[in-house]
Amino acid sequence: MRIDIVSIFPEYFSPLDVSLIGKARARGILDIRLHQLRDWTHDVHRTVDDTPYGGGPGMVMKPEPWGEALDAIAGDVRRLDAEPGEVPGPGAETVPTLIVPTPSGRPFTQADAVRLAREPWLVFACGRYEGIDGRVVEHARTRMPVEELSIGDYVLAGGEAAVLVMIEAIGRLLPGVLGNAVSAVDDSFAPGAMESLLEGPVYTKPPEWRGLRVPDVLLSGNHGVIARWRRDQALRRTAANRPELVAGMGALDERDRRVLDALDSAETGD
C-alpha cells in the first residue's frame, strides 16, 4: 500500500518509523511518503493560511497550496510498483482515496480501517487552524474518492495525530504486518467479532502476581468454557463502558441475558 501525507509538520510522523508500522515500511509492505505543504507556496513567507471570509476567529488554510499539492501527488498515475521513469501500460492508472481528518467528519471505525486496508493508495490531508478551504475537498471529489473522517468528538490542534491513529489502525491489518494474522480477528469492533463487543481482559504468565491470580477458567484447558467466559467478560465490559453497543446488539441467548440482568441488579441494589 502507498500512503502520501501532506502536512505543514511532516516531522510529526517520526513514530511511523517504529514498531509494526516501521517494520512494515522496512519490508516494503507500506510505502509512506511525507510532503511539506509549504513546498507548494510561492511567497517569501511560505504562507498557507489567510483570514476567513464572513469573519470569525482563527485562520483558514488557503486552497492554492493544497490544490497544487494534490495535483502533484494524485497526478502520479504510474503503477504503484513501477520503477521511476517506467511508462505505464494501458489501464495502469491508479486513483488514490483522499482522507481528510476533521471533527465534522463521519466517525472512523474498525470497519473503515478494514475497508481502507484493501485500498492500494491513500492520501491524507492534515488540516490546521480552522480547517482547509472547503473548495479543496469539493474540487478533489471531481477527481478521486474523498472521505472526511473523525476519530472522536473533540478538537485537536491539527490533523496529524488523527492521521497517525488511522494509519496504525489501517496498517496493522495489511497482510504480513501482524505476526499472527488471527490477532486482528478478535479485536474490539472487528467486523463480526462478537457483535462489536469490547474485548475483555487478557492475561499471561505468571499465573499469580502480587497476590492476584489469573482466573482459573483460563487455566482449565476447556476451550468451550473459556470462550463463554470471554464472552461474558466482553458483555460486562461493554455494558459498563459502551452501553449503546449492547443496546444495538441483535438476539441474545439466555446466558447473555442472565449476565446483563445480573449487572442491572447490581447497579440497582436488587
Side-chain angles (χ1 to χ4, degrees):
M1 171 186 277
R2 170 174 164 178
I3 293 178
D4 288 86
I5 305 170
V6 187
S7 168
I8 60 171
F9 297 114
E11 62 273 20
Y12 201 105
F13 295 96
S14 58
L16 297 178
D17 289 327
V18 301
S19 190
L20 289 173
I21 300 301
K23 291 177 181 177
R25 296 181 74 180
R27 292 160 58 191
I29 298 172
L30 266 174
D31 174 13
I32 299 179
R33 309 180 188 189
L34 301 175
H35 308 274
Q36 169 56 262
L37 178 65
R38 296 188 193 276
D39 289 345
W40 286 282
T41 59
H42 304 286
D43 66 301
V44 67
H45 300 293
R46 306 181 78 193
T47 306
V48 296
D49 62 308
D50 208 334
T51 55
Y53 277 126
M59 303 290 279
V60 174
M61 299 196 91
K62 295 164 62 67
E64 297 95 335
W66 277 109
E68 291 188 30
L70 294 177
D71 287 345
I73 294 167
D76 183 357
V77 295
R78 295 191 304 270
R79 291 197 314 275
L80 299 186
D81 59 349
E83 294 296 326
E86 180 180 344
V87 177
E93 293 186 358
T94 301
V95 177
T97 295
L98 176 64
I99 299 176
V100 183
T102 169
S104 60
R106 180 174 55 79
F108 175 73
T109 67
Q110 184 68 17
D112 291 314
V114 171
R115 175 176 54 80
L116 292 171
R118 302 189 186 107
E119 296 293 327
W121 187 3
L122 304 176
V123 177
F124 288 89
C126 300
R128 281 267 159 177
Y129 316 117
E130 295 301 312
I132 303 171
D133 186 299
R135 291 168 294 182
V136 174
V137 165
E138 183 180 351
H139 185 267
R141 290 190 193 280
T142 67
R143 306 167 57 192
M144 66 191 81
V146 178
E147 301 198 25
E148 295 179 277
L149 298 173
S150 168
I151 64 167
D153 295 336
Y154 44 84
V155 179
L156 301 170
E160 287 80 7
V163 169
L164 283 174
V165 168
M166 287 189 273
I167 289 177
E168 180 152 325
I170 295 165
R172 66 187 291 273
L173 299 175
L174 298 177
V177 173
L178 289 177
N180 183 353
V182 179
S183 298
V185 176
D186 293 328
D187 287 339
S188 296
F189 309 113
M194 295 196 297
E195 302 88 24
S196 293
L197 292 176
L198 303 183
E199 191 173 3
V202 294
Y203 303 88
T204 187
K205 301 176 182 66
E208 184 172 339
W209 175 76
R210 296 188 179 182
L212 301 172
R213 285 189 54 79
V214 171
D216 290 337
V217 64
L218 297 178
L219 308 177
S220 69
N222 187 326
H223 296 292
V225 173
I226 290 172
R228 182 65 247 187
W229 180 88
R230 284 178 169 159
R231 181 175 177 85
D232 291 350
Q233 297 302 308
L235 279 165
R236 292 187 179 104
R237 178 171 284 184
T238 306
N241 296 342
R242 296 290 301 277
E244 77 279 7
L245 295 178
V246 175
M249 289 178 61
L252 300 173
D253 63 26
E254 184 177 348
R255 174 60 178 265
D256 292 339
R257 287 192 291 271
R258 287 205 305 270
V259 169
L260 296 175
D261 288 344
L263 289 173
D264 290 339
S265 296
E267 288 178 0
T268 60
D270 294 341

